[in-house]
């Protein structure tokens, strides 16, 4: 298990591994069709998907303020999840957010994690894990968008088994992703 990492602001996380995140999100956007309903979490990789879906006629339900700002004045219809605002993550969490999510169904959810290994999905906090679980439960298909640094990484909280995710889109090598394919998870390399 990796040591507890210090809290890093959303802006700093979004600027790290930028080329990988953009390649991952460009590939993820190919999965999105007009008419789809998307959940997008507050992950820094997921945020980069906005640039590639702005011109699609879709609905996005999100707890991420950067996603809301990036998609305003686009063809995307927005539904903003309500709840308690976390200034560092620039996102909404909490019981009210969970209740909001339970009222909706999505075609697909785009999620981020702090780590993924054969043991499952890992998060840096209970509130982020709870949001991921809530979104995934209401979605037909769940996509994990993560750069290679997250593959094989185990952090603070193991919150779900690999079966929660249908597809992982990553820049990791085939060898690094072997455990995902073995678990029946579809891997889309970039």
């Amino acid at each position: 298990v990796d040591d507890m990492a210090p809290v890093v602001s959303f802006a700093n996380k979004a600027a790290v591994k930028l080329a990988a995140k953009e390649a991952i999100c460009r590939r993820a956007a190919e999965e999105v069709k007009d008419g789809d309903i998307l959940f997008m979490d507050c992950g820094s990789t997921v945020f980069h998907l906005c640039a590639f879906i702005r011109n699609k006629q879709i609905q996005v339900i999100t707890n991420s303020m950067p996603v809301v700002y990036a998609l305003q004045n686009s063809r995307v219809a927005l539904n903003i999840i309500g709840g308690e605002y976390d200034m560092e993550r620039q996102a909404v969490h909490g019981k009210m957010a969970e209740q909001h999510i339970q009222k909706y169904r999505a075609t697909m959810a785009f999620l981020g994690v702090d780590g993924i290994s054969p043991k499952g999905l890992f998060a840096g906090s209970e509130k982020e894990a709870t949001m991921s679980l809530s979104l995934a439960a209401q979605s037909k298909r769940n996509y994990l968008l993560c750069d290679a640094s997250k593959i094989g990484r185990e952090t603070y909280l193991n919150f779900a088994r690999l079966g929660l995710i249908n597809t992982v889109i990553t820049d990791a090598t085939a060898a690094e992703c072997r455990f995902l394919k073995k678990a029946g998870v579809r891997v889309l390399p970039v």
Side-chain angles (χ1 to χ4, degrees), residues 60-87:
V60 168
I61 305 166
T62 187
N63 68 325
S64 168
M65 296 314 294
V67 167
V68 170
Y69 298 136
L71 292 176
Q72 66 186 0
N73 302 316
S74 72
R75 292 182 68 196
V76 176
L78 288 166
N79 180 324
I80 305 166
I81 296 169
E84 295 179 355
Y85 182 67
D86 177 335
M87 206 172 343

Side-chain angles (χ1 to χ4, degrees), residues 87-154:
M87 206 172 343
E88 282 297 316
R89 295 291 297 145
Q90 296 183 28
V92 178
H93 298 95
K95 278 288 181 208
M96 295 304 289
E98 291 172 52
Q99 290 173 7
H100 182 115
I101 292 164
Q102 289 172 359
K103 296 176 183 185
Y104 295 92
R105 300 292 181 270
T107 314
M108 55 189 65
F110 289 100
L111 308 170
V113 292
D114 286 348
I116 182 170
S117 81
K119 293 180 182 174
L121 307 178
F122 292 81
S125 74
E126 289 181 15
K127 64 185 172 186
E128 289 178 21
T130 299
M131 288 303 294
S132 293
L133 290 169
S134 296
L135 296 171
Q138 300 299 102
S139 178
K140 186 176 178 182
R141 293 185 314 273
N142 296 314
Y143 290 80
L144 181 64
L145 307 183
C146 66
D147 68 71
S149 71
K150 308 285 180 77
I151 304 293
R153 184 172 184 226
E154 297 179 356

